[in-house]
Structure formats: C-alpha cells, structure tokens
Amino acid sequence: MKKHLLPIVLLLLIHIARADVIFPLTFVFIPYIPIIILLEVLAFLALRERLGLEIQAGRGILVVAIANIISSAAGLVVPGPYKSAIEIWFLSAYALSTLIEGVIYRVGMGKSAVKSVLLSAILNAVSYAAVLVAIITKML
C-alpha cells in the first residue's frame, strides 16, 4: 500500500504547484537565482562535514549549482497556480524543489536517497527562508 502512495502524492503536488519550484519563478525573478544558488552553496559548505558528506567542495558546489539551475528551469517551463493560496503554493514549490534537487544530489554526489533528500531539504529551507523574508519585507 505504501509503495502506491508516493506516486499519488507526487501527482497531487505537481497538480497543486505545477512544478514552479523556485517561487514564484517568472522572468522578473531570474536575476535572483544566482543569489539563491550562492545561499545554498554557502549552506552546503557550512554543513558538508556535519552531515558526513565526503565530497570535494568544488564538486559539491557544482552539483548544488546544477541542481538549482535544473529546478529553476522546471519552474520556467510550467507556471505555478497563481490563484491558489500563497501558503499552499510556497510549500508545494518547496516540496517539489526538494524532490528534484534531491534526485540530482543522489546522482551527483552518490549518497543515499535519504541523505540526498535531507541535504536538499536543508539547503532549500535556507533559500526559501530568504525568499520568504524578501516577500514579507516587500524586497521581492
């Protein structure tokens, strides 16, 4: 039964967020992507040893940058549900971004799926917190 729940949950998340994984990714938001990548790279470097990630810093930085570029591209391809509640949109975008980047970390870093998704969740929490602060303070 549990094996069948994951695809259903993913389909629901995709339907809700429509893969707009860097919130809300529009052409106006594109200039902020380097800042988001920088935030996640700095968080990666700060947490790399604490999380037991035995990966060279340069390779890790490259994988983090690639993961964010791919999740940003996904947000450009399929726009989000602009009429839904912002909280649902934000959390769905966070979940999808974490999933997409977790898969890339799994492949790029060769770590377990759990460690990859955990790393992705932590790094995305840093960048999404910054985006949330920017939205709240009307900087974005």
Side-chain angles (χ1 to χ4, degrees):
M1 177 80 172
K2 288 183 182 181
K3 288 194 289 188
H4 301 295
L5 287 178
L6 181 60
I8 293 169
V9 170
L10 291 177
L11 285 174
L12 289 173
L13 284 175
I14 290 169
H15 178 69
I16 292 169
R18 305 244 169 99
D20 194 358
V21 294
I22 295 206
F23 170 166
L25 189 54
T26 63
F27 287 104
V28 175
F29 192 73
I30 289 174
Y32 296 99
I33 293 172
I35 296 167
I36 288 169
I37 292 172
L38 177 62
L39 286 172
E40 290 195 25
V41 162
L42 292 174
F44 166 78
L45 292 173
L47 296 171
R48 182 171 56 113
E49 289 180 22
R50 183 173 285 171
L51 293 174
L53 299 172
E54 297 172 6
I55 184 170
Q56 293 178 344
R59 180 181 170 107
I61 290 169
L62 181 63
V63 173
V64 169
I66 289 170
N68 277 279
I69 290 167
I70 291 171
S71 65
S72 297
L76 281 174
V77 173
V78 183
Y82 296 106
K83 294 180 182 178
S84 69
I86 197 164
E87 299 84 8
I88 293 171
W89 188 16
F90 196 83
L91 292 173
S92 298
Y94 171 81
L96 284 171
S97 176
T98 297
L99 180 66
I100 290 169
E101 293 175 24
V103 169
I104 295 165
Y105 295 155
R106 170 83 171 101
V107 171
M109 295 185 191
K111 299 300 173 193
S112 71
V114 172
K115 267 194 177 179
S116 297
V117 171
L118 175 63
L119 175 64
S120 179
I122 292 168
L123 297 183
N124 276 294
V126 170
S127 61
Y128 273 77
V131 169
L132 185 60
V133 168
I135 290 169
I136 290 170
T137 60
K138 310 257 190 258
M139 292 175 59
L140 184 63

